[in-house]
Amino acid sequence: MKLDSMYQDVILDHYKHPHGRGLRPGDAEAHHVNPTCGDEITVRVRLSGETIEDVSYEGQGCSISQASASVLNELLVGKELAEARRIQETFLELMQSKGRVEPDDAMEEVLEDAVAFAGVSKYPARVKCALLSWMAWKDATAKALSEGKTA
């Protein structure tokens, strides 16, 4: 099976069987909209000290934006904030590479299913879709921390 085909399958699987969908109680939330295509998402974060206890979301949009939110949930729940930020920064680096970064073993270890979005980085209009939930997560987490709403 070709790598691109396998990556497409991962994205479609997360779109059809989303992880973390449905807003649950949290410490803070952020709502982001991609005005270019109409995708939107609300992300809620619940922290326990420096650990991400839960990330839930509700949104509508293309398979890329919704699958990316599912991958985010799968990757970040249970992680310490420092590690989650490292994952988010690695994903951002991949998405901003314009297709010039080929995921290596180290990147795949950090990003797991998120490496499936490597091909998306070649299409600037789609990069915003893939990053929508990640930027909302970053804002919701910053809001939770600034308001001191950690258990």
Side-chain angles (χ1 to χ4, degrees):
M1 179 182 277
K2 284 180 51 186
L3 195 57
D4 287 344
S5 177
M6 186 177 76
Y7 284 170
Q8 284 179 333
D9 289 347
V10 168
I11 291 171
L12 285 174
D13 186 54
H14 274 279
Y15 177 66
K16 291 177 182 174
H17 309 285
H19 301 256
R21 188 171 188 84
L23 291 173
R24 293 179 292 281
D27 298 319
E29 72 178 39
H31 181 78
H32 281 214
V33 176
N34 181 349
T36 311
C37 64
D39 289 358
E40 59 182 274
I41 197 152
T42 300
V43 172
R44 260 189 210 152
V45 175
R46 188 171 68 241
L47 303 174
S48 178
E50 288 291 309
T51 303
I52 299 168
E53 197 169 279
D54 191 30
V55 177
S56 61
Y57 68 94
E58 194 59 59
Q60 60 186 24
C62 68
S63 60
I64 292 170
S65 71
Q66 300 304 296
S68 186
S70 174
V71 169
L72 178 148
N73 168 275
E74 189 175 82
L75 278 174
L76 301 188
V77 171
K79 298 283 194 303
E80 295 293 314
L81 283 171
E83 184 179 358
R85 286 187 186 108
R86 186 173 64 92
I87 294 167
Q88 186 265 335
E89 289 166 5
T90 304
F91 187 68
L92 181 62
E93 175 189 334
L94 178 64
M95 289 296 91
Q96 293 178 335
S97 74
K98 298 181 180 174
R100 290 189 296 265
V101 170
E102 280 294 322
D104 58 12
D105 290 345
M107 185 176 272
E108 286 186 28
E109 189 174 313
V110 171
L111 293 179
E112 299 176 19
D113 279 358
V115 297
F117 294 88
V120 172
S121 70
K122 299 173 189 170
Y123 306 98
R126 308 307 288 175
V127 167
K128 287 183 180 183
C129 300
L131 288 175
L132 191 65
S133 60
W134 293 82
M135 296 301 109
W137 170 79
K138 188 176 177 183
D139 287 352
T141 300
K143 189 183 295 184
L145 292 170
S146 72
E147 295 174 0
K149 293 186 176 182
T150 58

